[in-house]
Amino acid sequence: MSTDSLDDLLKEERIFPPSSDFQQKANFKDASIYEKALSDPESYWSDWAKKLDWFEPWKEVLKWNPPHAEWFVGGKINACYNCVDRHAANPDRKNKKAIIFEGEQGEVRTLTYEELLKEVSRFANVLKNLGVGKGDRIAIYMPMVPEVMIACLASARIGAVHNVVFGGFSAESLADRIQDSSAKVLITGDYGWRRGKKILLKKAADESLDTCPTIENVIVLGREGKSSEDCQMKEGRDHWWHDLIQDVNDVCAPEPMDAEDMLFVLYTSGTTGKPKGIVHTTGGYLTGVYATTQWVFDLKEDDIFWCTADIGWVTGHSYVTYGPLANGATVLIYEGSPDWPEKSRFWEMVEKHKVSIFYTAPTAIRAFMKWGTEWIDKTDLSSLRLLGSVGEPINPEAWMWYHKNIGKENCPIVDTWWQTETGAIMITPLPGVVTTKPGSATKAFPGISATVLNEQGEEITSGGGYVAINKPWPSMLRTILNDDERFKEQYWSKWDGIYFPGDGVKRDEDGDFWFLGRVDDVMNISGHRLGTAEVESALVDHQKVAESAVVSKPHEIKGEGIVAFVTLKEGQEASDALKDELKQHVVKKIGAIARPEEILFSVDLPKTRSGKIMRRLLKDIALGKALGDTTTLADPNVVAELKEKYEGKEG
Ligand code: WTA
């Protein structure tokens, strides 16, 4: 974020204390918890863990050999049992809706906790029948339908490890993630709906499977509950979901898992071209998402909770699936796009399903702002009582718009900062306790110890710095799959024994956190993480490209948009058609979320004398700023020419 916008942010003086009405009814309102939790985090977190059902109690709360943590050591637990069985066994909850699903075409399906238990158990038996057992890896590449949650829960039930790959990722991205996790089974679907079009998932998956020898079986969900012509099924390897669940028993005992057994791996982008498989384990993760869902969202028995994230992202794991279900909540899930068939779709759904808690990303809020309030005004949003934001910094203007037009000035907004790696929300208001400020994620969740440090690890009391987490927490990542060295290097090498998340932040005089975006080569496009190096390697993969450098620049809706500088191989002609071809190539290699906004051809890229591309200067060019220090460049003319060219937008 530029210094101008940082200054603007810090001029923000509006404050929103909890209303007395909200506070009175809030689940939690004792502000002394912050100090209590930090004075003895282990006993605080074990109080939370005790609210889950354990087959065997733990012997030790925390074993901390930095940077490796073990929580609830020796305890035995099953995540699926906690999310499903214990509610299905509760006479007050068994007929409660666990999942309300709405498809893009408008069909609605619901599953009560009792029904969910049966479906999950049947599918768990299907997996067992295919030879899947404890510790085996399962790749999931599906549309956002109840079966994707059933697949994850069934995997957890039998002690397998799920690796969900967002359905918008390309076949090649899917193949990379299957290969890195050595998945034995792939669960996919024939198609899902997106803006009135069928997205053919199995077809994309088929392209990856040739290079994925570890996959023994593929399970294909027929979106309409039956086989479809859209799929080619390979004899012996591919099976229809509806065939496999025929005649399968709907009872399956949950596997007692060690608290530290892996629950899932989820890939996320880092600073190199290769995504990182973030490893989460069972007991600590579940404790973290259980606690945060209950307090951050002030969750009550009769709430209808709608987190709009796809399960392909961590938010879909923690706040569509494990957090709300561990609390016995009712979640709404939606398959499609917010502007289909009309831009009022979300608000009609809020009205129809009486959604009370709504959790979405700033990129969506900015799109709603752009579409205008006419789409909202015709619906009744009075069921809403709390709003959330996640995924990227929310600008004060979007925050105020959300507060006024969606919350009708009557709903607290929780701006929640966290990451795939942290597993659960880390910095956030507690809505019954904390005064919110537009653009600030406010304070660390009780039991989380966060601060701001400079490069040398000194605490920053005023001005900007890096956010740092200086004590272990239950839902923290345990490692990067197959790469513990990268885990140490990436997160724990900056300061000794302190976690480095990679975000810039500023604290105000009340100690509240204001997030400023990433400080590394990770971009945040529409709330989705992407590494500059990933996009660069996709571009360089094209036969006509010699070299490329990618930066991001502010985008009205997406938060950030991708700008790619490309040098072509000798003899290749620059053209608009080639720009389109390169954009398409990136989509094919990574997925549509990575499509560059702008491509600029250049004969050379600004490099230091040792040959390192200076992205900082390219960013200055993309932002139209005066160029920073160019004295270390091998050839300062390159950058001056490039700037001129960019401003004239030729090339
Ligand atoms: C950014 C998504 C500011 C941040 C849960 C982080 C945020 C990255 C916020 C993680 C927020 C997430 N305010 N920035 N409320 N929430 N971020 O792994 O840069 O997809 O490092 O997890 O998103 O993205 P991830």
Side-chain angles (χ1 to χ4, degrees), residues 268 313-315 389-394 415-421 441 501 503 515 517-518 524 527 529:
T268 190
W313 307 106
V314 73
T315 311
S389 171
V390 60
E392 46 181 318
I394 180 165
D415 172 11
T416 62
W417 176 88
W418 59 294
Q419 310 177 297
T420 306
E421 292 87 341
D503 275 56
F515 281 92
R518 301 286 306 196
N524 195 327
R529 265 169 79 164

Side-chain angles (χ1 to χ4, degrees), residues 139-157:
I140 298 178
Y141 184 64
M142 290 177 80
M144 193 59 190
V145 293
E147 283 78 3
V148 71
M149 293 168 74
I150 292 172
C152 288
L153 292 163
S155 163
R157 190 169 193 84

